């Protein structure tokens, strides 16, 4: 089995049939959700900003906006589906506001690493059991003190419960533990697309038991994929699923 | 040879040479030595795919290894996007080495990735991608996997979304935004529509823009 990525695990958990359409059948998506493309463009602006800082420069907000806008323009060359009153222009403006906030409030600590890749053989951290899963991904940002940071754009505040169960952070903590034998501090940098944009940075961590649970979850997903267990998972997400038509035609085959 | 002697920890450095992490790897040399210890009988290599513009210049090699413990097979691939720039002229050999390393890892029961299987600069520097330096980075999809491009109607692999977005960020680094960047890219690619740009051509355009060296520090090259 090819290495499994964090997003593949998330995709499978959200809907196994959609996972199959996307990763096994590799069906072309007829459109993309604008919110996802927007998040990617924000990521591009943030990454540029942080790389400049690491390189010893002080990027001005205009250059950060420029990088975001270039990416957003390119994203819009594909069909995007906007929700509510969003449009290419309104999200471009929102993106500039969010990035201005990020630049303004991100001072002091320099990141130690940005977009740090990992690829590991998954092991249960409690028992040492080899889980027979090769796992890979990228960590958004690691600070000098080892704090692992994931960046998100979101429509609403991330609650404490969501933070504690945030799969990406759990995975990052698991990987850090397997690589360095210590559980890092975790932070979710959330740029909120509220009417007045906000930037929240809740901090959390994980226990060894949490990491073992996460490792076993990833293994369970990997096993299910190997077994080709690709059933649909009807939910509110279906109405915005790119593969809705394919799903409607599905009859268990 | 003991298992712990097979594995060594390499430092992951950023473009400034600063150590930002470590990674456990095995080397091909040590895997081979271990396989000989295990009664290596033969190594058979087959070139499955010759690199060309139609396949994104991807070389694929298949290797079969027999030791006293059985027969082990593996595939290895190499293309300009997943090797160090110095290796680009030697894609077939790198594909073969990677295949052999994978097969050897199975044969000697080592789960740790081999140094030779790493994706060039991005694995041994800081993960900022080959050619790190100061160019904008290609966008990964959220969570980190690389998207698999699908062949277009004429059989050529089309430019990926990540490449397109990266090209526009490179253009922004040169002061060209929006429609002006769009027009310039079509001109550079000699196409009427960016949908006609193949993955291989996009790679070439990226290389050309990076080589232009007018790109200020805006991230990294494509993965």
């Amino acid at each position: 089995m090819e290495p499994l990525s964090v997003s593949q695990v998330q995709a499978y958990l959200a809907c196994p049939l959609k996972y199959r359409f996307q990763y096994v059948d590799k069906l072309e998506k007829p459109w993309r959700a604008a919110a996802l493309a927007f998040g990617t463009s924000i990521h591009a602006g943030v990454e540029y900003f942080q790389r400049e800082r690491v390189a010893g420069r002080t990027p001005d907000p205009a250059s950060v906006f420029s990088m975001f806008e270039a990416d957003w323009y390119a994203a819009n060359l594909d069909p995007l589906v906007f929700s509510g009153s969003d449009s290419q222009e309104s999200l471009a403006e929102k993106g500039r506001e969010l990035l201005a906030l990020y630049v303004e409030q991100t001072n002091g600590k320099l990141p130690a690493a940005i977009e740090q890749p990992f690829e590991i053989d998954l092991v249960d951290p409690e028992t040492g059991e080899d889980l027979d899963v090769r796992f890979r991904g990228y960590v958004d940002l690691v600070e000098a003190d080892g704090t692992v940071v994931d960046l998100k754009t979101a429509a609403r505040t991330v609650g404490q419960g969501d933070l504690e169960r945030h799969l990406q952070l759990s995975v990052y903590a698991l990987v850090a533990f397997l690589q360095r034998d210590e559980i890092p501090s975790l932070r979710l940098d959330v740029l909120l697309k509220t009417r007045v944009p906000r930037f929240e940075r809740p901090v959390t961590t994980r226990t060894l038991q949490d990491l073992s649970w996460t490792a076993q979850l990833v293994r369970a997903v990997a096993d299910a994929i190997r077994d080709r267990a690709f059933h649909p998972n009807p939910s509110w997400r279906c109405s915005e699923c790119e593969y809705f038509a394919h799903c409607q035609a599905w009859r268990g085959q | 040879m003991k298992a712990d002697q097979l594995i060594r920890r390499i430092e992951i450095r950023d473009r400034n040479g600063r150590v930002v992490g470590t990674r456990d790897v095995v080397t091909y040399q040590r895997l081979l030595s271990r396989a000989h210890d295990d009664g290596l009988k033969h190594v058979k290599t087959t070139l499955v795919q010759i690199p060309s513009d139609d396949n994104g210049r991807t070389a694929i090699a298949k290797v079969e290894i027999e030791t006293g413990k059985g027969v082990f097979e593996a595939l290895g691939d190499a293309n300009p996007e997943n090797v160090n720039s110095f290796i680009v002229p030697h894609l077939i050999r790198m594909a073969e080495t990677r295949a052999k390393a994978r097969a050897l890892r199975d044969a000697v029961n080592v789960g740790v990735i081999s140094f030779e299987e790493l994706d060039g600069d991005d694995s041994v520097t800081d993960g900022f991608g080959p050619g790190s330096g100061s160019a904008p980075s290609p966008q990964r999809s959220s969570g980190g996997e690389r998207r698999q491009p699908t062949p277009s109607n004429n059989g050529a692999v089309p430019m990926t979304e990540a490449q397109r977005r990266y090209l526009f960020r490179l253009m922004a680094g040169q002061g060209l935004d929006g429609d002006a960047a769009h027009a310039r890219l079509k001109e550079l690619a000699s196409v009427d529509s960016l949908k006609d740009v193949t993955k291989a051509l996009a790679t070439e355009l990226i290389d050309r823009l990076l080589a232009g060296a007018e790109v200020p520090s805006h991230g990294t090259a494509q993965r």
Side-chain angles (χ1 to χ4, degrees), chain A residues 2 5-8 10 22-23 26 28-29 32 37-38 40-41 43-44 47-48 51-52 54-55 57 63 66-67 69-78 110-121 134 136-140 168 172 179-180, chain B residues 9 12 14-16 18 20-23 102 105 110-113 122-123 126-128 134-148 150 161 164-166 168-170 172-173 176-180 182 194-195 216-220 223:
Chain A
E2 287 294 302
S5 70
V6 186
S7 57
Q8 283 175 308
Q10 288 176 312
Q22 182 171 350
Y23 292 104
K26 295 186 168 64
E28 192 173 341
K29 289 182 178 177
R32 286 188 71 201
F38 176 74
T40 306
S41 294
H43 225 287
E47 188 186 339
Y48 162 73
R51 286 187 194 286
E52 284 288 281
V54 167
R57 291 181 282 268
S63 63
S66 167
M67 213 45 58
E69 286 161 356
D71 197 88
W72 182 234
Y73 179 97
N76 277 273
L77 294 177
D78 278 340
L110 278 177
I114 307 159
E115 295 286 305
Q116 188 172 42
F118 64 81
E119 185 167 329
I120 59 166
D121 291 314
R134 188 123 186 104
R136 71 179 180 194
Y138 291 84
V139 178
D140 283 350
Q168 235 162 326
Y172 292 165
Q179 289 179 330
R180 299 193 294 274
Chain B
R9 183 158 288 185
I12 300 169
D14 66 15
R15 59 176 163 248
N16 300 316
R18 190 167 44 192
V20 294
T22 60
R23 184 169 188 167
R102 288 174 71 90
R105 287 202 294 121
V110 168
V112 175
I113 196 167
D122 62 343
S123 296
D126 61 357
F128 294 177
S134 299
S137 70
Q139 206 59 52
R140 61 180 170 87
S141 56
S142 71
E145 88 286 3
R146 296 166 201 201
R147 294 223 179 272
Q148 293 296 317
T150 50
E161 182 194 350
R164 187 180 69 223
R165 294 171 85 147
Y166 182 38
F168 275 88
R169 296 202 302 280
L170 282 169
L176 279 177
D177 294 321
D179 291 343
H182 197 168
L194 291 184
K195 291 187 188 307
S217 163
H218 293 22
T220 58
R223 296 182 205 289

Side-chain angles (χ1 to χ4, degrees), chain A residues 8-61:
Chain A
Q8 283 175 308
V9 172
Q10 288 176 312
Y12 185 87
L13 290 171
C15 178
L17 186 58
K18 183 176 179 181
Y19 173 92
R20 192 193 95 184
F21 291 148
Q22 182 171 350
Y23 292 104
V24 180
D25 300 341
K26 295 186 168 64
L27 299 181
E28 192 173 341
K29 289 182 178 177
W31 49 269
R32 286 188 71 201
L36 290 178
F38 176 74
T40 306
S41 294
I42 290 288
H43 225 287
V46 167
E47 188 186 339
Y48 162 73
F49 172 70
Q50 294 290 14
R51 286 187 194 286
E52 284 288 281
R53 295 177 72 224
V54 167
R57 291 181 282 268
T58 307
D60 62 283

Side-chain angles (χ1 to χ4, degrees), chain A residues 121-132 177-178 208 212 215-216:
Chain A
D121 291 314
L122 205 58
V123 172
D124 185 317
E126 271 191 312
T127 64
E129 178 190 6
D130 182 349
L131 301 180
D132 193 25
F177 181 79
L178 294 178
L208 189 61
S212 176
Q216 293 293 347

